[in-house]
Structure formats: C-alpha cells, structure tokens
Amino acid sequence: MRDLEKLGDAAVAALAAAGVERLLPDAASPYLLIAEHAGNIVPAPWRDLGLAEPYLGTHFAVDVGVDALTRRLSQTLRAPAVIARYSRLFLDYNRPADEWDFMRPDLGGIPVPGNLAVDAADARLRKLVAWAPVERAIIEAAAGRRALISVHSFTPVMGGVKRNVDIGVLWREQSPFVNSVLKTLRTQGAEAGFRIGDNEPYDWRQAVGYTLNRHGLQQGRPCLYLEVRNDLLADPETFERISRLLENAFATVAMSLWPQSAAAV
Amino acid sequence: MRDLEKLGDAAVAALAAAGVERLLPDAASPYLLIAEHAGNIVPAPWRDLGLAEPYLGTHFAVDVGVDALTRRLSQTLRAPAVIARYSRLFLDYNRPADEWDFMRPDLGGIPVPGNLAVDAADARLRKLVAWAPVERAIIEAAAGRRALISVHSFTPVMGGVKRNVDIGVLWREQSPFVNSVLKTLRTQGAEAGFRIGDNEPYDWRQAVGYTLNRHGLQQGRPCLYLEVRNDLLADPETFERISRLLENAFATVAMSLWPQSAAAV
C-alpha cells in the first residue's frame, strides 16, 4: 500500500504500542492467559484491508467474546494476561509466518483486498507493529509461570455442521495440567450443563498452532487452547455461567497441582 | 419466522413471479442458458435472513457477474435464458433439497441467522416462492433444446489457494457437445489469453449439482457448467473479452454440431 512508505519510526512505535495489552503483569498466579485473537482492529494506515465493516465482526477477523472472557478470567483468577488487539486478518499471531493464513487472503472465498498481494515491505511493517509487541509481551509474562492458557472462541456451525461441544480443551502433549483441567472441567461442566470437548471441536494434534508451540511446548511449559462457542459468550447470562465454570475449574486445578503456590487462585 | 404466516396466496404468487426471469423464450437456438445463482435478492418477508448488506454481495449469496454475462450471451447467441433472481442463500436451486446447503446455515463459519433453524412451513414457502418457478421455467425452456449451459462464476482465491484457471468447463458425462466446447474454447481461449479448465476449478464428477443432473443428464441432454473467475467479470474490458470469446466459441460449436439448425447462432 502506498501510504505505508510514509510511516515514520514514531508512528510505527505508536502502532506497535497499541497492538498489545498486558493485564495484571505483576500478579503471582501460576497461569498466564493469552488471547491472540481478541481484537478486531486493523491499524488505520491499512484501511480495514479493504473490507466492509461487518466482516470485521466475524470469526475470520476476531474470536468473538474472547476479549471480555479473558479480562474476566484475569480478574477473578488474579492471573496475568496478554491480549493482542489487532485483527488476525491483519496478522495472525497464532500462525507461523510461512503459513498461508498468517495474512489471510480470503474469508472462505471472500477476498481480503489488502491481503491479496502483500509485498515484503508491508509484511515487515506488520510484523513490527503486530507480531513483535505480542511476542515480547508473552515472553516477559510467561517467565516463571506454571502453565499457559490460550483463550479462543469458535463458531457454532461450520460448513453446515453444528459443533456439538460448548467448551473445548485442545492439547498436543499430555501433562498433569492438561489431564487435571480435562477431568475437572468435565465434572464441573456437566454439573453446569455444558459439554466439554477433548481436542474438540478440532484436534490441536491435527492443526497448526504457533503461540503455544513456541511459548509452551518448546519451553517445556504445560499449555492448552481453551475454545468456547462464541454464541454462548454473546448471551450475558451464559457468559456469566461459563466464566464461573472456568474460573472455578482453573482454581481447582491450581490448588491441586501447585498447593504451595500462595497465589494459586 | 413469524411474519411468514401472514403471507396470503396473492403475496406468495407475486413473490414466485418475481423469482425468475425468462429471456428470449421464443428464440430457436439449440442452447438454453441457465443462471441459478445470478441474483442476490432475499424476498422482503425474510429480511435479508438477518445478514448485513455486504454479505449479500459475496459469492456465498450470488455468482458475481453472472447476471450480466448471461444477458450478454443470450443477446448475442439469440438463446433463451432462465435467470433465477433470488439468492442462493435463500434457497439454492442448484442443490438437491436434502443437501445441507439447500438453505445454507453459514458462510464458511459466519452464521446465517435466518437459516439456522428453518421450520417445515418456512421451507415449504421458500420452495413455492423460489424453487417451483425456476423449475417450471427451465422445463418449459429446455423442451427441444440441444444442450444446456449453466452459467456460474467462482472466486479467484479459496482457502488461501489461488485458482489457476480463468474459465472452467465442468462436465459429468462426455458428449460431442462437451468435447467440442472444450476443444474450441481451449483453442480460442489460448488466442485470447485465457486459461481454460477441464473440470476445473472443481470437478463436477466430485461435486453435487442439481439443475443439470435433472434437466440435462436425466433427460439425455448434453450439458455443462460454465465457470468464470468473478474478478475478471468485474473489469469491463475483461468482461467484454470473455463475453466475445464465449459467444464465438459457442457459435462455433453450434455450427459444427448442428449445421442444420438455422438459428444456431
């Protein structure tokens, strides 16, 4: 894009600073919450990537409901959180840079004009503005944590198929943490009337990830992707019930696995 | 939907009449052109199925560019055409009624509110309004024709993959008609600088169809789906070049296969 060449260093630094939010960075929780898809902002110089506004409210642009859910869990668990504010369409922090959907050229066939032919200078600028600040924030916040929870949401129907779970726990390597979360959430979830998915609605072992590959698995740090059906989060009462379920379950797990941690919950 | 119960017979008849357009019904061409996905109208009582306006301009709702292309080919070939005016999201005439996307509940994961729980009365009404008039128009117009051409368009990129054809000829049963169109379009297309796909960008033998299964194959009538890249049709100059290529190719085929037909071109 033409305008990008005019961006000075100060403007780039300001865009980078606006791309990430850190919640409770000094909290002593064993957990770090990460929300890579919480935001739907496209930095102004990129002009919404040429998309009409309604597209920026879809799951292609943002994990609907995750911003509010992550803030809630951070507050109640007193856990630090890293929230990426730029749309996954601008740059998908949770994809390796060489994946086709790192800067996704289409929404299931609907072209994204600004992503059809991203040149090297544009890609470099997006990494500076969107990738680097999130990377730095996660590295800083993850130091010393016992486990990472990456918070996501999914659509209730995909390709005509209704997904038959409400909350999914996606994992790649088993660990006491993963096992404990699954066991606890299954029990407490059943009581609360929610269906818990074990590597559902999709299986992390068959899917590409980035954040938790890099900051979790490769660091030997237990981790999981938490996936919540986004239409459930849109209803205030159900949002409240799901939040309570999740905070109770993660508190239970922390007390069980790390009882010595004074700041477990 | 609540409003639907109030629709009287006259209103239903008016909606059905508005759902289809017949071009040059009395022309003596060997061809019938069919455009099942030419329109993006959702009849008013269905309130755009709850979708924001930009969605109704996408390929999920309509084959972009096909309305204009079909009118042009009808004029220059002096061939009758049946044009469905309602969006494929309202009811996809080119799908069997028991297919999941006959009334598609999502656009690749973006829910279509009005299609998430279509009840029997709603489905019956949509068939009356959208399916029946197109069915009748095609049956009437197809009588005595030598071949059916169903005109469609496709998106240049799907799931991140760029499609590497410009115009596709999709067939299920070989015939002198199909072979002649492929041969002629390949030759004339290469001269005009367009890439012609033989059962590409997708293969009808691996895909669900309805219109040509029913009105073509099952009647022993040669037929094909013509697929044109929709971004090419959006450029007036390229639209003109593609239209000229197609009308020349189909005229060549008609003269070669049915020279006795005075109204071949």
Side-chain angles (χ1 to χ4, degrees), chain A residues 155-208:
Chain A
T155 55
V157 58
M158 175 61 90
V161 178
K162 284 193 181 152
R163 269 107 171 244
N164 56 5
V165 299
D166 302 316
I167 299 171
V169 174
L170 278 43
W171 53 271
R172 193 156 211 159
E173 290 176 10
Q174 287 205 310
S175 64
F177 169 64
V178 164
N179 293 338
S180 180
V181 170
L182 272 170
K183 187 163 164 262
T184 308
L185 257 186
R186 271 208 208 99
T187 307
Q188 299 184 3
E191 284 163 16
F194 294 107
R195 300 164 298 176
I196 308 301
D198 179 352
N199 261 329
E200 287 210 67
Y202 60 91
D203 191 331
W204 181 12
R205 293 165 298 185
Q206 259 86 58
V208 176

Side-chain angles (χ1 to χ4, degrees), chain B residues 1 15-16 19-20 35-43 46 48-49 51 56 59-63 83-105 107 112 114-115 118-136 138 152 210-211 215:
Chain B
M1 297 199 206
L15 291 172
V20 67
E36 308 98 310
H37 296 158
N40 74 339
I41 298 171
V42 175
W46 280 267
D48 287 347
L49 302 170
L51 289 173
L56 297 174
H59 82 107
F60 286 108
V62 59
D63 279 3
I83 297 183
R85 301 189 66 221
Y86 292 147
S87 171
R88 62 195 295 184
L89 286 178
F90 178 64
L91 179 142
D92 193 337
Y93 180 83
N94 196 31
R95 294 289 184 279
D98 57 358
E99 273 294 316
W100 70 272
D101 52 358
F102 186 58
M103 293 177 286
R104 189 179 174 113
L107 319 179
V112 180
N115 288 353
V118 178
D119 65 23
D122 184 354
R124 196 182 52 82
L125 211 46
R126 295 197 204 187
K127 282 185 203 165
L128 272 174
V129 159
W131 184 89
V134 174
E135 179 77 356
R136 196 176 325 118
I138 294 177
H152 291 255
Y210 172 83
T211 315
H215 301 287

Side-chain angles (χ1 to χ4, degrees), chain B residues 171 173-181 221-223 257:
Chain B
W171 53 272
E173 290 177 10
Q174 286 205 312
S175 64
F177 169 65
V178 165
N179 294 338
S180 180
V181 171
R221 196 177 276 131
C223 55
L257 292 180

Side-chain angles (χ1 to χ4, degrees), chain A residues 54-55 58 60 100 106 108-109 155 159-160, chain B residues 54-55 58 60 100 106 108-109 155 159-160:
Chain A
Y55 295 115
T58 71
F60 285 108
W100 70 272
D106 75 307
T155 55
Chain B
Y55 295 115
T58 71
F60 286 108
W100 70 272
D106 76 306
T155 55

Side-chain angles (χ1 to χ4, degrees), chain B residues 204-223:
Chain B
W204 181 12
R205 293 166 297 186
Q206 259 85 58
V208 176
Y210 172 83
T211 315
L212 296 186
N213 290 349
R214 184 167 168 88
H215 301 287
L217 302 180
Q218 289 171 21
Q219 315 293 327
R221 196 177 276 131
C223 55

